[in-house]
């Protein structure tokens, strides 16, 4: 018998009582909240010119983060607030983290990027359009290294190029690494997923952001090579996994299988988006405020805010 509770305290007592009555019982250490926070690192094939790439799978949220390694340096992409897993992976790779980067200001979980950057004394990379609370435009209070379309972040002397791909947020970016001949990747955040795209309605600016999303998709369809591997910040279901449980897809395959990428007309795309919009979780504006440096919370409140699966994709 497996016994599960919120934090693993009551379940330990119950498992002990069951054991005394002849049952073979276990308590899940840390409970559901530990499950929600846990990130599993998996090595995946790095892009051309890089020495290593780790994908962090936060199963309880369906969230993904990354560590890209080259020449003894590493860039953390979309780290969670339990960013120590990124530091451990960098140490294992013999690399020093030289920056923490967010593809956008997240709505479904609290970013570890600003805290990691402050603790390690490295830059925090973010597009300045996302250094705000998007619901009313209140300026954020983040200390950041601003990104723009075409910005290059060198990692061990190898370039990582920023592409501004707004739509899910105004400051959403994709980090491109590698080349078409040796293999390239795009860390797309909540812009492009395996089975969908990021919802453009989280700040009440659906009409404008849907147009931004359409233009961003049209741009990458014109520019990205079919072999570029899309590395998203979320997955919706187990069907999006590869046999080794990693999550990525060649862009050419997504052009065929991701319905949103097959739509050729903007009006049809807007109708497709409108048919899939739902009421977002109540916690999302609060999490956005935290991630823009406008609010703080303790770990217990953060656990409550982050509870539940991500709802950042158009499903």
């Amino acid at each position: 018998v497996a016994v599960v509770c919120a934090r693993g305290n009551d379940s330990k007592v119950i498992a002990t009582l069951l054991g005394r009555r002849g049952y073979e019982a276990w308590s899940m250490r840390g409970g559901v909240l530990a499950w929600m926070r846990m990130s599993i690192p998996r090595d995946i094939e790095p892009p051309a010119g890089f020495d290593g790439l780790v994908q962090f799978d936060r199963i309880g949220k369906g969230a993904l983060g990354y560590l890209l390694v080259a020449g003894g340096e590493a860039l953390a992409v979309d780290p969670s607030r339990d960013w120590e897993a990124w530091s451990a992976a960098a140490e294992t790779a013999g690399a020093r983290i030289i920056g923490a980067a967010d593809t956008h200001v997240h709505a479904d979980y609290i970013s570890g990027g600003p805290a990691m950057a402050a603790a390690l004394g490295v830059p925090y990379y973010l597009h300045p359009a996302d250094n705000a609370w998007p619901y009313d435009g209140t300026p954020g209070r983040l200390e950041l290294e601003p990104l723009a379309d075409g910005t290059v972040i060198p990692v061990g002397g190898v370039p990582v190029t920023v592409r501004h791909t707004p739509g899910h947020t105004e400051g959403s970016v994709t980090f491109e690494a590698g080349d078409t001949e040796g293999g390239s990747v795009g860390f797309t955040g909540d812009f492009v997923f395996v089975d969908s795209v990021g919802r453009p309605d989280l700040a009440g600016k659906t009409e404008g952001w849907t147009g931004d999303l359409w233009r961003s998709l049209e741009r990458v369809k014109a520019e990205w090579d079919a072999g570029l591997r899309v590395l998203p910040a979320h997955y919706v279901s187990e069907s999006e996994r590869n046999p080794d449980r990693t999550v990525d897809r060649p862009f050419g395959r997504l052009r065929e299988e991701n319905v949103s990428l097959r739509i050729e007309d903007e009006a049809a795309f807007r109708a497709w988006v409108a048919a899939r919009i739902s009421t977002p979780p109540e916690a999302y504006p609060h999490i956005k405020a935290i991630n823009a440096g406008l609010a703080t919370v303790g770990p217990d409140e953060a656990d409550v805010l982050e509870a539940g699966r991500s709802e950042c994709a158009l499903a």
Side-chain angles (χ1 to χ4, degrees):
V1 178
V3 188
V4 183
C5 68
R7 298 183 182 276
N9 298 319
D10 293 341
S11 62
K12 187 175 181 180
V13 174
I14 298 301
T16 301
L17 292 174
L18 287 170
R20 290 173 183 170
R21 285 158 176 77
Y23 292 91
E24 191 174 5
W26 295 268
S27 167
M28 189 168 83
R29 185 173 58 199
V32 172
L33 292 176
W35 170 254
M36 290 295 302
R37 295 177 67 169
M38 179 181 66
S39 293
I40 297 176
R42 296 188 179 96
D43 291 327
I44 59 178
E45 182 181 355
F50 291 84
D51 302 322
L53 177 57
V54 182
Q55 183 178 73
F56 296 88
D57 182 1
R58 189 175 172 187
I59 298 176
K61 291 295 297 181
L64 301 167
Y66 301 90
L67 187 78
L68 184 61
V69 180
E73 295 183 347
L75 178 68
V77 178
D78 288 332
S80 68
R81 60 190 170 101
D82 298 298
W83 55 266
E84 292 81 3
W86 276 253
S87 290
E91 184 176 354
T92 298
R96 175 177 62 90
I97 294 177
I98 52 87
D102 272 325
T103 52
H104 64 292
V105 162
H106 300 274
D108 61 317
Y109 69 84
I110 297 170
S111 170
M116 173 191 280
L120 300 181
V122 299
Y124 171 57
Y125 295 103
L126 183 76
H127 194 287
D130 268 10
N131 189 14
W133 198 57
Y135 301 88
D136 64 5
T138 300
R141 300 195 186 107
L142 298 170
E143 294 185 11
L144 56 86
E145 184 72 23
L147 300 174
D149 193 69
T151 296
V152 173
I153 303 172
V155 180
V158 188
V160 176
T161 304
V162 176
R163 301 299 180 199
H164 187 206
T165 48
H168 179 63
T169 69
E170 290 179 307
S172 172
V173 301
T174 294
F175 298 102
E176 297 177 4
D179 57 52
T180 55
E181 292 185 3
S184 59
V185 301
F187 301 96
T188 55
D190 289 13
F191 166 43
V192 175
F193 303 116
V194 169
D195 283 343
S196 189
V197 290
R199 56 191 295 176
D201 64 306
L202 292 183
K205 304 175 183 179
T206 307
E207 182 176 352
W209 286 15
T210 299
D212 291 340
L213 183 58
W214 168 256
R215 287 183 287 274
S216 293
L217 290 171
E218 287 293 280
R219 175 186 180 183
V220 299
K221 285 191 284 187
E223 295 181 358
W224 282 357
D225 183 77
L228 178 141
R229 283 185 294 140
V230 170
L231 295 166
H234 290 292
Y235 57 93
V236 177
S237 71
E238 289 292 300
S239 66
E240 297 177 42
R241 292 189 184 279
N242 299 316
D244 63 359
R245 297 195 61 76
T246 59
V247 180
D248 72 347
R249 289 291 190 281
F251 186 62
R253 181 173 167 185
L254 292 191
R255 292 287 302 269
E256 299 175 358
E257 298 178 355
N258 187 322
V259 174
S260 62
L261 297 176
R262 298 206 308 263
I263 300 172
E264 299 296 336
D265 175 75
E266 183 175 354
F269 179 75
R270 287 182 176 274
W272 182 87
V273 169
R276 285 158 179 79
I277 286 177
S278 59
T279 302
E282 293 182 0
Y284 280 15
H286 194 179
I287 294 175
K288 283 270 193 184
I290 295 167
N291 283 337
L294 296 169
T296 59
V297 292
D300 290 346
E301 186 179 358
D303 286 339
V304 173
L305 286 171
E306 290 187 339
R309 67 183 180 89
S310 169
E311 296 185 37
C312 290
L314 286 168

